[in-house]
Amino acid sequence: MRFKHAVLFPVLLGLTLTAYAAKPAAKKPVAKASTQKASAAKPAAETTAAKPKSMQEILDATQPGDWRALDPANTLYLDLASGRVVMELAPGFAPAHVQNIRTLAKEGYWNGLSINRSQDNFVVQWGDAAEDDKQKKPLGSASAKLPAEFERASKGVKFDRLPDKDGWAPQAGFADGFPAARDPQSGKAWLAHCYGAIGAGRDVAPDSSNGTELYVVTGQSPRQLDRNITVVGRVVQGIELLSVLPRGTGPLGFYEKPEQRTQIKAIRLASEVPENDRVPLELLRTDTPAFTQLVEARRNRRDEWYKRPAGHIDLCNVPLPVRTPKK
Amino acid sequence: MRFKHAVLFPVLLGLTLTAYAAKPAAKKPVAKASTQKASAAKPAAETTAAKPKSMQEILDATQPGDWRALDPANTLYLDLASGRVVMELAPGFAPAHVQNIRTLAKEGYWNGLSINRSQDNFVVQWGDAAEDDKQKKPLGSASAKLPAEFERASKGVKFDRLPDKDGWAPQAGFADGFPAARDPQSGKAWLAHCYGAIGAGRDVAPDSSNGTELYVVTGQSPRQLDRNITVVGRVVQGIELLSVLPRGTGPLGFYEKPEQRTQIKAIRLASEVPENDRVPLELLRTDTPAFTQLVEARRNRRDEWYKRPAGHIDLCNVPLPVRTPKK
């Protein structure tokens, strides 16, 4: 028995292609002897039938135009001692916040500040830990006041809709490559709080966020936050540097002692970083047949390991493939 | 501006009551000045209207009979250098696996073995890391072969159904206190892969798990695994000891070097542990009016922070309150 390799298949698919695996070029692990045995025992009729493509095969068959490069002006690098987290901003949904975040990054606002909170199955959050307003780091030329950007008019938003049911919204899908939702009745669209979503922390007033205090979802998608707070982007690589941080033991997962916080070396726009220090990444476009095939391959998994394809996929379970382009 | 406390409310509710917060008696953080200001500014009509109960108020109003104590014969302690993970077994759904796990625990099977895998946004997994079958730890009097226990007849299962839509199953709810699903057409019920679910790793054959290799869900609920693998229980306390483990860099999140693994001091049944070393815990029963109120308080959050109650809750977003009983 090869229990070391148990749960091989669900995991394999999870690893290779989620946006968070940080291994865009991960190799498909070789099928183990036990798998080969199972194949050999299959009736001939079954083995000669057209085999559904695996995720890896779908990706291998993509064309260069199926991928889009991250735009350096919309890419933020969070540099920690443990490595770099790469984030994509969403100016289409949070233009004022993104503009402020760009200014804050350009002026080095977060450099030397810290990650102050990690709450299990919820969020990691960074910003200025100073308790007293007078001790807070100055905002420089960034705005202290921004509008709430919880949703936008869906008109003009290219929406790649999922056919699957969503309990939280009338329609779920992808907009600008981000997990999103839409309500045809209200004519609004908004970004969804899936794993890796980045939002702008706020106080009680809807317009009390200024983009300095950012959180990343590191647990079960808290979709109840949708349209209650401004989503500014998502992590595309390196989320495992955040998700492993020790959980804070204070209320809301805040660290109780300053020394428990993780220092931020720098948060910079990719466009402000020398080219040879940038992380070249490409994302699979969500408006391609390849993406549709990939979603279907996950909705109904047809490898040997799965005995019952789910026939469904949730918005936040859809992998958003990331790769390092070949030179 | 008090951005340290931004996202106060969603978090507060998350922290106090999820099964995973490991703080059953966590205090409700005091409302900050900014919140008080907001209250003061409210029109009188609104402040005098009947205020919906908070989660904490609902819990404070519970009666002793609304809670059930963990049964020591169905409780497993995973002891690590960092602390203890408390797990509840599900004999109603996986009787053969649970029986085998009890035997393995009694005979100290896992003691000295290790956590061998952590894959971001998916699972943590432990068992025998030996590659070669000949080097594997002997199973003692445990069975080497068990039936697949992916689902069971729903007849005889008390099912506390959620009225909310579920994309993965015709009906979602709670059975024996576990997140579960049901199909009236097939007459089957099964446990759902929510955050904290514990499953028995298997190879390609459905009946290839023996309960030695266990995984815990530490990410977005992988419900596609439902009915494809045997769920044996769930973590009720201490999951943050597992979810923070460094992610493995090998395929499927396995650690590449033996020294990266986390040693298991012991896995024992609570009933085999001296009483003064047990963790007394109680869980809110899911068939109580208090639980129904609590789910509604989360489905439609009506505190000042939330501007738009979701009107929906997903099975895997429902908190399952745990507390330490008063002496």
Side-chain angles (χ1 to χ4, degrees):
Chain A
M1 277 177 290
R2 280 161 190 84
F3 285 105
K4 182 168 186 308
H5 305 290
V7 203
L8 183 97
F9 284 86
V11 180
L12 160 66
L13 298 180
L15 178 78
T16 313
L17 290 167
T18 70
Y20 318 111
K23 292 241 164 176
K27 285 197 304 285
K28 181 172 176 167
V30 178
K32 298 294 165 189
S34 55
T35 313
Q36 290 160 359
K37 261 186 283 170
S39 300
K42 273 183 143 188
E46 203 179 323
T47 47
T48 52
K51 208 182 145 217
K53 277 190 188 170
S54 70
M55 291 248 302
Q56 193 58 56
E57 287 164 339
I58 293 165
L59 287 177
D60 289 346
T62 54
Q63 299 301 307
D66 293 336
W67 299 80
R68 64 184 175 92
L70 275 181
D71 176 355
N74 286 327
T75 303
L76 216 53
Y77 295 153
L78 160 59
D79 286 335
L80 304 171
S82 57
R84 176 173 288 177
V85 182
V86 180
M87 302 176 276
E88 185 179 23
L89 297 169
F93 284 82
H97 280 76
V98 167
Q99 192 47 51
N100 224 37
I101 287 168
R102 283 198 194 106
T103 302
L104 291 162
K106 278 181 191 170
E107 298 181 1
Y109 172 79
W110 289 286
N111 305 355
L113 293 181
S114 54
I115 298 173
N116 305 317
R117 174 189 182 195
S118 174
Q119 184 175 354
D120 197 63
N121 194 19
F122 195 49
V123 297
V124 158
Q125 187 172 324
W126 63 82
D128 189 346
E131 289 279 352
D132 187 333
D133 283 3
K134 288 176 196 163
Q135 294 173 335
K136 291 265 186 203
K137 192 159 177 175
L139 294 179
S141 46
S143 299
K145 187 85 180 170
L146 298 178
E149 298 177 301
F150 299 173
E151 56 182 11
R152 56 157 289 174
S154 59
K155 205 176 162 183
V157 175
K158 200 175 165 312
F159 192 81
D160 305 316
R161 189 179 168 186
L162 277 179
D164 307 82
K165 259 200 246 181
D166 187 85
W168 303 93
Q171 301 179 356
F174 300 88
D176 301 341
F178 292 87
R182 191 170 68 167
D183 181 354
Q185 279 211 306
S186 70
K188 301 289 184 184
W190 59 93
L191 297 185
H193 277 82
C194 293
Y195 192 85
I198 307 168
R202 67 165 171 86
D203 215 319
V204 170
D207 59 354
S208 57
S209 59
N210 62 11
T212 56
E213 194 74 19
L214 298 175
Y215 62 88
V216 172
V217 172
T218 55
Q220 172 70 16
S221 47
R223 298 275 311 272
Q224 73 280 357
L225 292 175
D226 291 3
R227 290 190 283 176
N228 275 295
I229 195 160
T230 301
V231 177
V232 302
R234 70 182 184 91
V235 175
V236 296
Q237 189 175 81
I239 196 168
E240 70 281 2
L241 303 179
L242 301 176
S243 55
V244 300
L245 292 175
R247 285 19 178 175
T249 50
L252 321 184
F254 278 94
Y255 296 113
E256 295 182 276
K257 296 174 191 164
E259 63 268 28
Q260 294 170 326
R261 299 173 188 147
T262 299
Q263 291 302 307
I264 294 171
K265 288 167 70 174
I267 295 185
R268 291 173 296 172
L269 274 172
S271 55
E272 301 277 311
V273 167
E275 272 202 53
N276 63 4
D277 188 26
R278 293 186 197 166
V279 185
L281 289 178
E282 290 182 344
L283 291 84
L284 186 65
R285 299 176 63 103
T286 58
D287 59 354
T288 56
F291 184 74
T292 305
Q293 284 170 41
L294 185 145
V295 174
E296 173 55 22
R298 298 280 282 202
R299 181 186 292 117
N300 288 300
R301 307 210 197 193
R302 303 209 181 273
D303 58 66
E304 286 183 312
W305 193 90
Y306 276 90
K307 308 308 171 190
R308 182 191 294 267
H312 172 80
I313 192 162
D314 260 16
L315 176 65
C316 294
N317 288 94
V318 174
L320 295 170
V322 180
R323 72 176 185 184
T324 304
K326 287 174 196 139
K327 303 240 166 165
Chain B
M1 275 178 289
R2 281 160 190 82
F3 286 106
K4 182 167 188 305
H5 305 291
V7 203
L8 183 97
F9 284 86
V11 179
L12 159 67
L13 298 179
L15 178 79
T16 313
L17 289 166
T18 69
Y20 320 112
K23 292 243 162 170
K27 285 197 305 285
K28 183 172 178 169
V30 177
K32 298 294 163 191
S34 56
T35 312
Q36 290 160 358
K37 261 185 285 172
S39 299
K42 272 184 142 186
E46 204 179 322
T47 47
T48 52
K51 208 182 146 217
K53 276 190 189 170
S54 70
M55 291 248 305
Q56 193 58 56
E57 287 164 338
I58 292 165
L59 288 177
D60 288 346
T62 54
Q63 298 301 308
D66 293 336
W67 298 82
R68 63 186 175 89
L70 275 181
D71 176 356
N74 285 327
T75 303
L76 217 53
Y77 295 152
L78 161 58
D79 286 335
L80 304 171
S82 57
R84 176 173 287 177
V85 182
V86 180
M87 303 175 276
E88 184 178 24
L89 297 169
F93 284 82
H97 280 76
V98 167
Q99 192 47 51
N100 224 38
I101 287 168
R102 283 198 194 106
T103 302
L104 291 162
K106 278 181 191 169
E107 298 180 1
Y109 172 79
W110 289 286
N111 306 355
L113 293 180
S114 54
I115 298 173
N116 305 316
R117 174 188 181 196
S118 174
Q119 184 175 355
D120 198 63
N121 194 19
F122 195 49
V123 298
V124 157
Q125 187 172 326
W126 62 83
D128 189 346
E131 288 280 351
D132 187 332
D133 283 3
K134 288 176 192 161
Q135 294 173 335
K136 291 266 184 201
K137 193 159 176 176
L139 293 179
S141 46
S143 299
K145 187 86 181 168
L146 298 177
E149 297 177 301
F150 298 173
E151 56 182 11
R152 55 158 291 173
S154 59
K155 205 176 162 182
V157 175
K158 197 171 166 314
F159 192 80
D160 305 316
R161 190 179 168 187
L162 277 180
D164 307 82
K165 260 200 245 179
D166 187 85
W168 304 93
Q171 300 180 356
F174 300 88
D176 301 341
F178 292 87
R182 192 169 67 168
D183 181 356
Q185 278 211 309
S186 70
K188 300 288 185 185
W190 59 93
L191 297 185
H193 278 81
C194 293
Y195 192 86
I198 307 168
R202 67 165 172 86
D203 216 318
V204 170
D207 59 354
S208 57
S209 58
N210 63 12
T212 56
E213 193 75 19
L214 298 175
Y215 63 88
V216 172
V217 172
T218 54
Q220 171 70 16
S221 47
R223 297 276 310 273
Q224 73 280 357
L225 292 174
D226 292 3
R227 291 190 284 177
N228 275 295
I229 195 159
T230 300
V231 177
V232 302
R234 70 182 184 92
V235 175
V236 295
Q237 190 175 82
I239 196 168
E240 70 281 3
L241 304 178
L242 302 175
S243 55
V244 300
L245 292 175
R247 287 15 179 176
T249 50
L252 321 184
F254 279 94
Y255 296 113
E256 295 183 275
K257 296 174 190 165
E259 61 269 27
Q260 294 169 325
R261 299 173 188 147
T262 299
Q263 292 302 306
I264 294 171
K265 288 167 73 173
I267 295 185
R268 292 173 296 171
L269 274 172
S271 55
E272 301 277 312
V273 167
E275 271 201 55
N276 63 5
D277 188 25
R278 293 187 197 165
V279 185
L281 288 179
E282 290 182 343
L283 290 85
L284 186 65
R285 297 176 63 103
T286 58
D287 59 354
T288 55
F291 184 74
T292 304
Q293 283 171 40
L294 185 144
V295 173
E296 173 55 22
R298 300 281 280 202
R299 181 185 291 117
N300 288 300
R301 307 211 197 190
R302 302 209 181 273
D303 58 66
E304 285 183 311
W305 193 91
Y306 275 91
K307 307 309 170 190
R308 183 191 292 269
H312 171 80
I313 192 162
D314 259 17
L315 177 65
C316 294
N317 288 94
V318 174
L320 295 170
V322 179
R323 72 175 185 185
T324 304
K326 288 176 196 137
K327 301 242 166 154

